[in-house]
């Protein structure tokens, strides 16, 4: 989370687009690891994603790029936080 907000569909699409660009340019991606933070971040603007949110991110990547292996690594489940930015 950044400023209490989970990645949006647009954020995930941009990430998948970048992965696709790498593959289309000849790069080989054997694995994408989806994980949350493991330690206290340097910025208090950053917080962990919960298990369901990680599953959602992984599902989005799998649906968009089915040829790439996706592994999800979970941290502590965290309670939802409000998003401080305005919805677009």
């Amino acid at each position: 989370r950044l400023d209490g907000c989970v990645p949006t569909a647009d954020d995930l699409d941009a990430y998948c687009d970048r992965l696709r660009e790498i593959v289309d340019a000849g790069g080989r991606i054997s694995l994408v690891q989806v994980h949350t933070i493991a330690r206290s971040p340097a910025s208090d603007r950053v917080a962990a994603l919960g298990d369901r949110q990680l599953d959602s991110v992984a599902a989005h990547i799998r649906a968009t790029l089915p040829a790439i292996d996706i592994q999800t690594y979970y941290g502590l489940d965290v309670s939802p936080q409000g998003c401080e930015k305005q919805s677009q």
Side-chain angles (χ1 to χ4, degrees):
R1 293 184 186 140
L2 180 62
D3 294 329
C5 302
V6 299
T8 65
D10 288 342
D11 295 332
L12 297 175
D13 286 340
Y15 180 70
C16 289
D17 288 346
R18 183 62 186 130
L19 293 175
R20 187 178 296 110
E21 288 172 9
I22 292 168
V23 171
D24 289 348
R28 288 185 273 168
I29 300 173
S30 60
L31 173 67
V32 171
Q33 297 179 342
V34 177
H35 57 87
T36 191
I37 58 175
R39 295 180 263 306
S40 296
S43 172
D44 60 1
R45 296 179 58 207
V46 178
L49 292 174
D51 292 355
R52 282 180 265 151
Q53 293 158 335
L54 288 171
D55 287 341
S56 178
V57 168
H60 188 102
I61 299 168
R62 281 188 191 102
T64 305
L65 301 165
I68 297 177
D69 185 24
I70 310 297
Q71 291 182 358
T72 307
Y73 297 89
Y74 302 96
L76 297 176
D77 201 10
V78 293
S79 58
Q81 299 172 350
C83 181
E84 294 178 15
K85 69 179 179 182
Q86 299 278 332
S87 54
Q88 302 175 11

